[in-house]
Amino acid sequence: MISKSLKRIAFGLLITILVVLAFATVIEKLNGTEFVSTNIYGSWWFVVLWIAFGISSFAYIIVRSAYKQKPSFCLHCSLGIILIGALVTYLTAERGYIHLRQGKPLNEYVTEDGMTKKALPFEVKLVLFEIEYHGESDKPSDFMSFLRVDGEMCKVSMNKIYTKDNYRLYQLSYDSDEMGTVLLVNHDPWGIGITYTGYILLALSMLWILWIRIGWKGLTAMLIPIACLWYYISQINPMTPILRTPMLAVHVSIIIFSYILFLIITVLAIIGVSSSKQNEKMYQWSQQMLYPALFALAAGIFIGAVWANISWGRYWGWDAKETWALITFLVYSIPLHKKSFPAFQQPFKYHCFCIFAFLTILMTFLGVSFLLGGIHSYV
């Protein structure tokens, strides 16, 4: 009885989170990023919702003795650690901006809300600011601030940060006369380390589960199409400074590979629903592909999070593309819990779910760019 109640609570909260996230992206389109950041993503009730989901999920795992399945338990623990890291960042991290003019040192920054000044434990002076242009065009390919920090020379540019005393400086923008620069200041001594620990444990857990389900030969076979996609994307020379990094090819190739697998799963589902003779066979094939598809998506998401932390000073910003990628991950993770939902042991119902779930892929890949926009939209 306790197990059933915890299941209802945990998965009920999951459905609630999915609905909130989906509606939040629409509200952001209608009312702006600041509104949704303040009233949803940054609100106390949204944080409580995630805490309640994490606690109820962990309690359900304990009551069901699911901790005996070590690979799965490690994976769920890694997700819990990531949530804890996010909570620590939410409660303790400090962010702000520092506007430097060439030759004028500063030892304070303005908080993100623009209302308060806070002291830095060191002095920063802009020695030189430079812009590199893309070929012979007037479009910047990179912009760089050469700084003197407590007597030490350093450079901050797009995709290159500087860290001192747990303060991280990021290149944000610059003055029109090219004699000044604006740097993002991020002080998060605890949250990032906890979150990255969760990422590492997640990667190990996913490899462990894939090794059990598809073996090393299956893992090696996955690397071939990913490597081909990586090579193709790495040949692209984007003009946007933030995209001029090797992490672009890694992040995008893994995400696209996952989308291809999800497309194949959807095709198998359509065949399974249309033909009773092929139903069971399509079910078995789809089940084999679901784990690598979902884990590739997870890997792509969290590689993107690391890239965002390096480039933008935060590993998760609730951009519409990020949010819908998370929705997709959570939706496709549901049929993995066949013991909790026996309906997914029935091929026809499983196939119907996979067809429905593919709508989240379409929304993430196309819908966000054409309907919602955001920092990941390039149309």
Side-chain angles (χ1 to χ4, degrees):
M1 189 65 182
I2 296 177
S3 177
K4 290 183 179 180
S5 298
L6 286 172
K7 182 179 79 171
R8 294 193 190 99
I9 294 172
F11 286 98
L13 289 170
L14 174 59
I15 298 301
T16 302
I17 287 173
L18 290 172
V19 172
V20 169
L21 293 178
F23 273 102
T25 60
V26 177
I27 294 172
E28 180 178 7
K29 178 66 175 179
L30 298 174
N31 296 290
T33 301
E34 184 176 349
F35 177 87
V36 77
S37 297
T38 302
N39 295 283
I40 298 180
Y41 299 132
S43 65
W44 65 266
W45 63 264
F46 187 71
V47 175
V48 170
L49 184 62
W50 279 102
I51 293 174
F53 171 64
I55 293 175
S56 60
S57 299
F58 187 76
Y60 180 58
I61 290 172
I62 298 300
V63 170
R64 286 289 303 271
S65 299
Y67 55 85
K68 295 180 180 179
Q69 300 174 359
K70 294 180 181 179
S72 176
F73 182 64
C74 287
L75 186 143
H76 285 86
C77 284
S78 69
L79 296 175
I81 292 171
I82 292 170
L83 286 178
I84 292 172
L87 178 62
V88 172
T89 293
Y90 175 81
L91 295 175
T92 66
E94 298 175 351
R95 287 168 54 89
Y97 309 94
I98 181 169
H99 182 198
L100 296 171
R101 292 292 294 177
Q102 190 168 317
K104 297 181 179 180
L106 285 176
N107 60 355
E108 62 183 13
Y109 67 96
V110 180
T111 56
E112 199 169 21
D113 59 10
M115 303 296 292
T116 309
K117 290 185 177 181
K118 288 197 171 185
L120 289 169
F122 48 82
E123 186 178 78
V124 185
K125 182 169 72 173
L126 177 64
V127 177
L128 180 67
F129 180 82
E130 288 187 353
I131 300 178
E132 289 184 356
Y133 292 93
H134 190 88
E136 297 182 357
S137 71
D138 59 351
K139 295 185 179 295
S141 63
D142 200 359
F143 30 92
M144 300 156 286
S145 298
F146 295 89
L147 309 173
R148 184 180 297 278
V149 182
D150 275 355
E152 176 185 354
M153 287 297 299
C154 66
K155 182 179 79 169
V156 178
S157 62
M158 301 303 295
N159 298 312
K160 180 178 176 58
I161 65 175
Y162 175 76
T163 303
K164 184 177 178 62
D165 298 337
N166 289 318
Y167 285 86
R168 296 153 65 91
L169 304 180
Y170 303 77
Q171 181 67 57
L172 187 63
S173 62
Y174 54 91
D175 295 346
S176 58
D177 62 359
E178 300 183 15
M179 295 293 290
T181 187
V182 179
L183 304 177
L184 173 66
V185 181
N186 187 15
H187 184 232
D188 185 12
W190 305 106
I192 292 176
I194 296 172
T195 302
Y196 279 14
T197 300
Y199 290 170
I200 295 171
L201 182 59
L202 177 67
L204 295 175
S205 302
M206 292 191 301
L207 289 173
W208 191 359
I209 293 173
L210 286 177
W211 175 68
I212 292 173
R213 294 193 64 86
I214 64 177
W216 288 113
K217 291 183 179 180
L219 281 170
T220 304
M222 287 175 57
L223 296 178
I224 297 174
I226 292 176
C228 293
L229 288 167
W230 172 84
Y231 177 77
Y232 174 77
I233 296 170
S234 65
Q235 302 307 303
I236 300 173
N237 188 23
M239 298 182 70
T240 307
I242 201 71
L243 299 179
R244 296 172 66 86
T245 168
M247 295 193 74
L248 170 67
V250 178
H251 169 63
V252 175
S253 60
I254 295 176
I255 290 285
I256 291 178
F257 174 72
S258 73
Y259 287 169
I260 292 172
L261 292 184
F262 282 126
L263 176 61
I264 296 173
I265 289 172
T266 306
V267 173
L268 295 177
I270 294 173
I271 295 172
V273 169
S274 305
S275 172
S276 57
K277 292 182 179 180
Q278 299 294 326
N279 198 1
E280 181 64 32
K281 182 188 294 185
M282 298 300 103
Y283 175 72
Q284 297 299 329
W285 288 0
S286 180
Q287 285 279 293
Q288 282 293 102
M289 299 187 71
L290 182 58
Y291 280 90
L294 186 62
F295 289 171
L297 177 61
I301 289 173
F302 293 116
I303 289 172
V306 173
W307 179 15
N309 189 44
I310 293 173
S311 301
W312 293 324
R314 63 175 73 191
Y315 44 84
W316 197 264
W318 295 112
D319 177 69
K321 182 79 78 172
E322 296 173 353
T323 303
W324 273 98
L326 178 60
I327 291 172
T328 301
F329 173 77
L330 293 174
V331 167
Y332 273 102
S333 68
I334 294 174
L336 297 184
H337 300 81
K338 292 189 293 183
K339 291 183 179 179
S340 298
F341 297 100
F344 291 121
Q345 298 178 20
Q346 302 175 34
F348 182 81
K349 293 182 179 179
Y350 168 82
H351 289 318
C352 289
F353 180 88
C354 288
I355 294 172
F356 167 78
F358 190 69
L359 295 176
T360 63
I361 296 288
L362 294 177
M363 185 64 188
T364 305
F365 187 61
L366 298 174
V368 170
S369 295
F370 289 98
L371 299 176
L372 300 177
I375 58 176
H376 287 83
S377 178
Y378 305 106
V379 296

